[in-house]
Each structure stands twice: as C-alpha cells, then as structure tokens.
Amino acid sequence: MSAYLQCIEENCQKRISATTKAHVCPDCSGLLDVMYDFQITDPDKFKQTFQQRRLSNDPLDLSGVWRYRELLPFCSDPAKVVTMQEGNTPIYEAPHCAEYAGLKRLHLKHQGLNPTGSFKDNGMTAGVTQARLMNSRMVACASTGNTSASMAAYAARAGMKAVIFIPDQQIAFGKLSQSLDYGALTLQLEGDFDEAMKMVKEITEESEVYLLNSINPFRLEGQKTIIIEMLAQRGWKIPDRVVVPGGNLGNSSSFGKAIKELHDLGFIDKMPMVTIIQALRANPLHKTLIDRSARLIRVEAHTLATAIKIGNPVSWKKAMRAMEWTRGWCDVVSEQEIADAKAIIGRDGIGCEPASATTVAGIKKLIQTKEIDKEEDVVAVLTGNLLKDPDYTVNYHQNNLYEKASYKNELIERKDKIQSTFANAPVKVKARKAEILKVLGL
Ligand code: F0G
C-alpha cells in the first residue's frame, strides 16, 4: 500500500507510516497529510470508471466517498470499510439565493442530506475505516454537535465504543439527540468547544482511544470527495469558486487538498477558488489573514451558528494552504446576515442549519464589495440539515431570535435582537371553517 503520513511543515516534511497512531508530527507537532504514490496516469479513464460505478450495487460503489477510492487509496481491504452510503448529495440550482446574493446563477451542494445530516459523514466513513484498520475499539471526538452525531453513528455500525466531548448547553438539540440515540457515551463539559478539543487531544494521546476530529488526516481524505463528487456531477465542468463555512477548518482544508491533487493528477486544468466564510465573532482565520500574522490569532468565539463557534481551529494552517493554492480568501458575516440568508435558502425549498447559511450571506457581501463578479460560476456548500437546529429557525420566524439569550429553565435575559426580515410566523386560528377561509382570503 502506497499511503503514508507526512508533516505539512515546509522545513520538516517528516514521513511516517500510515498506521502510526499520531495526529500530529512526532518531531515538530505539525499537522499531517495522508500522502500516496498515486497509480493514475489516465484521468479520463478514471472519470468514466467513476461514472460507471453509479450503476453498480457494490457497497463501495454505492458510497459517494468510496466510489472515488483511487483518489484516497489508503484502505486495501474492502471488507474493512465502514460505509452508510454517505455522500451522494445533490447539487441544486437556487434562484432565490442567486437573486438575493446578486449572482446570475448559484448552485448549492447540500451535504446536509447525508445519513446523519451533515458533511461529517463523508469524513467519518474514512476516519472510522482507518480506526478499524488500526484495530481501535474506542473512538473519541470533541464536537459542536455534527462530528459527534456522525462519529456515534459510524462507531455504532463498526461495533466500536464512542466517547464524545461536547460543550455543555452549546450544541443544538437535534445533534445531541443523535449521539444519545446512536449509543455514544456523551460527556457534557463545562466550557467551550476549544476546551473540549484540548481535553480530547490530551486523553487520546495518552491512551488507546482513537481521535476522530478533523485533525485526523484520514477524516479529511473522505471529505475530499465533496469536491470530487461535485465535479463529477457537473461533468467535470470546473466552477470559478467554491464557498464553504469555516469552523475548525477541516472542510476547507480537505477542499484545498482535493483541488490540488486533482490538478496535479490532470483531472482538472484550473483550480476553483476556495472562499471560506466565518461568523463575525468566531473569526480567528479572518483575523489572522487580515493581520498577516504567522501565528493563529485565537478568539473567544460567539455565534448562534453553534456549529462554527470555534476560536482556536486546529486545521488553520491547512486552510491557509488551501487559500494559497487556489487564490482563495476568507471573509466574515454578521449574525443578522446569517439569519436572513438562511431564510432565503429556505425559500428555495432547500433549507440548512445556521452555519451553512454563512455561504450565501458571504457571497452577497462579496458581490457588494466586488470581490465576486455576478457572472461567476459559484458553488456554495451547505454543510448541515435544516432539522439539526429547529429552535433557531422557529425563533427567527416568530421574531424571537436574539444574539445573546440566557436561560434558567426559562428565558431570563435577551439582548441584541436579530431582525426577522423574512419571517414566516405561524398563524393562530380557531378551528372554524369561516375563520380559516378568512385567513386564506377565500
Ligand atoms: N458547518 C457545520 C454544519 C458544521 O457542523 C461545521 C463543523 C462546520 C460547518 C465547519 O466545518 O470545522 O470543517 O471548518 N462542525 C464541527 C463539529 C466542528 O464538531 O461538528 P469545519
């Protein structure tokens, strides 16, 4: 097998075996890439093979990750693959969103239509497969909710024990309900995601437990297929730009690696720009870029888009590299912009969770600032399903969404109201025909 791990630091580049249980370089603590001696000389032949596999009922071909296995060839034993037919997510044209953002056309690739409702499944099938290849019996992650839901499901499928570290009271209920149902040991830590991440890193370093956050480079190999599948669905027509939310920055990192590898292997002859959008007050990458800092500028993160409430993202260096390779950029959007963009995504009949809406909000902003041209061919990646965080959506439509709200059994304080610009509140009506007809205007 030709896979190995390699440190991403220019002045280190240490290579280690793909079966080493390490999530950072043993010499310099740099992030690791999974690297391969690819056996691909004729990309057109592989494009055809990928297409033909859509007609096959082989479990690997039915997966929107493993269908492209030659581009992530780290597992030589198909029997070890843990798959739930992940990927296979649609690309929708979104006319309301395009008009709202000011683009001629906009396409949304909806990763929220994965088995557990988020893009994490693309990565988790790869991560849990690697855990199985390493004979791990227990896996762990820190999470703002989606990684934990996904890991819990895939660990259950693989018969592994799952331990999740989540910030207490800070993850959406849809996500919490998933990990409980999938049988994960759920540790609610006092503190935020960044503290949970620190704890799980220490504990997995010192024990047999296998870490499945996106610092694990095998996770990112699976997430590369979001780009690969998107290109395959478009008949390999390359968009000008791919827009993605930024939290722990695993997804944007994997997009960069996918694009670079596809380019190096001759699958594509130009690289779509990777544009990362963060929430205004959960903006460590944006701050680091603007300040041209060589070190990450951490922040104490605040946003109602709890999925991306992260101030110390582990993969920031890989995200920087993705922007460098693709001439990409990072920008920020406000809570108000996220909330309104989310409602517009809903109006296209698509819907998503708040973090995903940073994409459409970001495109709108970048069109206004002329960073994006209205003729550009743009694909935005929606990362999570609408049903993950119903409280946010219902509060928005009932004109009851606040940037700061604290609860003690009931709401005790609320500040900084978000305007429900596109509210669609439910209408209370008596169960009488005449009254209903009146409301219907009939
Ligand atoms: N969108 C959603 C719905 C997410 O759940 C996340 C991350 C992101 C965007 C950001 O992606 O971290 O790759 O930059 N959620 C993680 C979790 C951190 O624990 O579920 P990223």
Side-chain angles (χ1 to χ4, degrees):
M1 176 53 53
S2 63
Y4 54 93
L5 296 171
Q6 185 170 329
C7 175
I8 70 160
E9 294 296 331
E10 283 286 316
N11 54 4
C12 177
Q13 297 189 32
K14 186 184 175 71
R15 286 186 182 196
I16 52 177
S17 149
T19 50
T20 314
K21 184 183 168 288
H23 40 261
V24 289
C25 173
D27 284 3
C28 74
S29 301
L31 295 173
L32 298 170
D33 271 333
V34 184
M35 301 292 283
Y36 312 96
D37 300 318
F38 281 111
Q39 305 294 318
I40 294 179
T41 47
D42 183 354
D44 285 342
K45 200 186 98 213
F46 279 95
K47 287 179 187 174
Q48 272 175 22
T49 305
F50 297 155
Q51 189 65 20
Q52 280 158 5
R53 285 179 184 160
R54 286 186 170 274
L55 299 172
S56 153
N57 283 326
D58 180 303
L60 260 60
D61 294 341
L62 286 169
S63 160
V65 171
W66 300 102
R67 184 177 304 135
Y68 309 103
R69 50 195 171 269
E70 288 82 1
L71 292 168
L72 50 144
F74 68 85
C75 175
S76 54
D77 182 357
K80 290 268 165 53
V81 168
V82 186
T83 173
M84 295 173 75
Q85 300 188 22
E86 52 287 317
N88 296 309
T89 61
I91 302 185
Y92 296 122
E93 179 151 14
H96 282 97
C97 292
E99 194 193 337
Y100 176 72
L103 266 184
K104 214 162 182 185
R105 288 178 76 179
L106 174 62
H107 288 89
L108 304 177
K109 180 154 176 66
H110 203 337
Q111 292 303 117
L113 299 182
N114 257 297
T116 77
S118 86
F119 72 96
K120 305 289 181 180
D121 296 342
N122 285 67
M124 209 49 79
T125 181
V128 173
T129 296
Q130 178 64 12
R132 190 182 253 177
L133 290 170
M134 311 255 303
N135 298 317
S136 304
R137 288 204 302 268
M138 198 188 277
V139 291
C141 68
S143 183
T144 55
N146 280 326
T147 300
S148 47
S150 182
M151 190 189 81
Y154 281 82
R157 300 294 300 170
M160 293 173 193
K161 177 109 190 135
V163 189
I164 65 171
F165 294 61
I166 51 168
D168 193 16
Q169 310 268 335
Q170 293 179 47
I171 77 169
F173 251 41
K175 304 174 188 183
L176 178 60
S177 66
Q178 287 180 289
S179 32
L180 299 178
D181 225 29
Y182 301 140
L185 173 60
T186 302
L187 307 179
Q188 290 183 301
L189 262 63
E190 282 172 26
D192 59 13
F193 170 83
D194 297 306
E195 283 165 284
M197 187 71 233
K198 185 167 170 277
M199 288 314 308
V200 79
K201 260 163 65 183
E202 281 177 26
I203 287 165
T204 51
E205 258 159 38
E206 291 159 14
S207 68
E208 291 301 300
V209 185
Y210 189 69
L211 181 66
L212 276 172
N213 276 99
S214 55
I215 194 171
N216 179 324
F218 292 92
R219 278 265 319 273
L220 300 192
E221 289 307 294
Q223 284 168 221
K224 287 192 318 196
T225 61
I226 299 170
I227 291 291
I228 302 167
E229 183 181 75
M230 180 264 285
L231 286 164
Q233 284 166 315
R234 290 169 51 100
W236 295 90
K237 182 173 174 288
I238 306 155
D240 295 313
R241 189 184 297 268
V242 180
V243 184
V244 61
N248 218 11
L249 299 173
N251 222 15
S252 37
S253 299
S254 68
F255 287 12
K257 187 167 187 277
I259 291 167
K260 176 80 164 52
E261 286 175 352
L262 290 172
H263 191 258
D264 290 350
L265 290 168
F267 280 81
I268 53 175
D269 57 10
K270 72 165 195 179
M271 298 201 206
M273 289 176 273
V274 174
T275 300
I276 305 168
I277 310 292
Q278 296 198 299
L280 185 61
R281 293 197 300 137
N283 60 339
L285 184 69
H286 183 248
K287 232 176 166 41
T288 305
L289 262 185
I290 295 290
D291 289 12
R292 295 168 185 270
S293 169
R295 284 166 174 264
L296 179 75
I297 303 178
R298 298 175 190 184
V299 303
E300 196 191 305
H302 294 283
T303 171
L304 294 177
T306 48
I308 52 172
K309 189 169 181 282
I310 296 173
N312 185 20
V314 292
S315 294
W316 72 277
K317 277 200 175 167
K318 286 186 178 175
M320 284 283 193
R321 188 179 69 170
M323 290 186 291
E324 216 169 276
W325 281 336
T326 68
R327 296 158 295 110
W329 187 243
C330 172
D331 215 315
V332 287
V333 287
S334 69
E335 296 297 305
Q336 183 67 52
E337 289 169 313
I338 296 171
D340 287 339
K342 187 176 120 50
I344 298 293
I345 296 166
R347 293 286 168 91
D348 265 320
I350 296 172
C352 63
E353 69 163 281
S356 308
T358 55
T359 52
V360 172
I363 295 166
K364 182 176 170 67
K365 180 176 173 188
L366 291 171
I367 285 188
Q368 280 162 359
T369 58
K370 301 206 177 343
E371 299 283 329
I372 299 183
D373 186 272
K374 67 177 192 331
E375 302 284 330
E376 262 189 37
D377 182 357
V378 181
V379 179
V381 177
L382 302 182
T383 45
N385 196 291
L386 169 69
L387 300 176
K388 289 276 190 175
D389 190 355
D391 291 358
Y392 181 104
T393 307
V394 173
N395 280 329
Y396 177 87
H397 286 294
Q398 293 192 322
N399 209 14
N400 190 32
L401 191 61
Y402 291 82
E403 266 191 53
K404 289 186 205 118
S406 42
Y407 295 84
K408 213 172 202 175
N409 293 327
E410 60 190 39
L411 192 65
I412 52 167
E413 187 207 359
R414 49 192 188 185
K415 266 201 332 230
D416 301 340
K417 187 167 189 313
I418 289 178
Q419 297 308 314
S420 298
T421 322
F422 305 106
N424 178 31
V427 181
K428 271 202 175 161
V429 60
K430 292 218 169 74
R432 288 202 197 106
K433 204 156 122 191
E435 290 211 22
I436 295 171
L437 289 172
K438 205 167 128 199
V439 173
L440 298 182
L442 298 173

